[in-house]
Amino acid sequence: KNPNYDNKRLTYGFLIGLHSTAYQIKYADRFVTPQFDTLYAVEPDWSPGFSLGFIVNYKLADLLDLRLTPKVAFYEHKLRYRFTDDQKNVDELVETTMVEFPVLLKFKSERRENLRMYMIGGIKPGIEASGKKKVENTTDVLEIKGMNLSLDVGFGLDIYYPLFKFSPEIRFSRGIMDVLDNRTNKFGSPLERVNTNTVNVYLIFQ
């Protein structure tokens, strides 16, 4: 099916993504001081989300492609602040809409009939597009920077059909940028660093 597809130097497509994401935190040194004697843990929780985007794929060599996948991703991140006294646990939710620009290299296996395995990896810069931070009172919320940078790595399967190519893909994304913006309010002061971890499942059509 579609035997000449891989002869094309430049191809286009779109993707639909589902993901689960969570913050990874590092406590500040002041977390063990009397200032936080009633706060005994800050626990990240995994939350679902989705993304939509386009694909521009350029063939560099027979088994190597350069892929750009600009997309819009909708994230929810949760942190639970646990206390030892009568104060109730506090759940802090951060909702962000990110415009992301992954730049990826795709390493392909040899095609076997209508199937081809591949590995993929690269960097993913992103910037927040929702603008919530500018309009909300952020004195009593967890303040997060409006940009992020991640390393992505994953694998997938190209399945060739007569009129298109379908590729299910799993990709792991590790934020390498500290996204904690305010370390002085009650939610930010126990923390030294906040990074993102995301597991993505993409359905790609080209």
Side-chain angles (χ1 to χ4, degrees), residues 1-87:
K1 298 178 181 179
N2 211 343
N4 298 319
Y5 184 93
D6 292 320
N7 295 332
K8 302 175 184 178
R9 180 68 68 178
L10 191 63
T11 56
Y12 304 91
F14 68 93
L15 63 83
I16 302 170
L18 300 174
H19 60 248
S20 183
T21 186
Y23 284 143
Q24 180 175 341
I25 66 168
K26 179 181 179 182
Y27 290 109
D29 292 339
R30 55 184 170 272
F31 178 70
V32 297
T33 64
Q35 178 185 358
F36 299 101
D37 57 349
T38 61
L39 177 66
Y40 73 89
V42 180
E43 299 175 348
D45 194 11
W46 290 86
S47 300
F50 70 97
S51 59
L52 300 170
F54 298 96
I55 299 168
V56 179
N57 195 92
Y58 183 77
K59 181 180 176 182
L60 297 174
D62 287 342
L63 301 180
L64 179 64
D65 293 348
L66 174 66
R67 173 171 286 183
L68 307 178
T69 59
K71 62 189 181 77
V72 178
F74 303 89
Y75 294 99
E76 287 187 356
H77 290 96
K78 299 177 183 177
L79 288 180
R80 171 163 291 185
Y81 291 73
R82 293 188 175 275
F83 296 88
T84 58
D85 58 7
D86 294 334
Q87 182 177 350

Side-chain angles (χ1 to χ4, degrees), residues 26 40 44 47 56 65 80 84 118 126 139 160 164 172 176 178 185 188:
K26 179 181 179 182
Y40 73 89
S47 300
V56 179
D65 293 348
R80 171 163 291 185
T84 58
Y118 66 86
T139 57
Y160 294 83
F164 66 96
F172 305 93
I176 58 174
D178 177 18
N185 67 14

Side-chain angles (χ1 to χ4, degrees), residues 7 123 132 155 186:
N7 295 332
I123 61 171
K132 290 182 179 180
F155 58 91
K186 65 180 182 180

Side-chain angles (χ1 to χ4, degrees), residues 54 65 82 88 98 100 111 147 171 193-194 196:
F54 298 96
D65 293 348
R82 293 188 175 275
K88 292 182 179 179
M98 301 292 291
E100 298 176 330
R111 179 172 173 174
M147 58 191 311
R171 200 187 307 162
R193 186 178 179 90
V194 175
T196 56

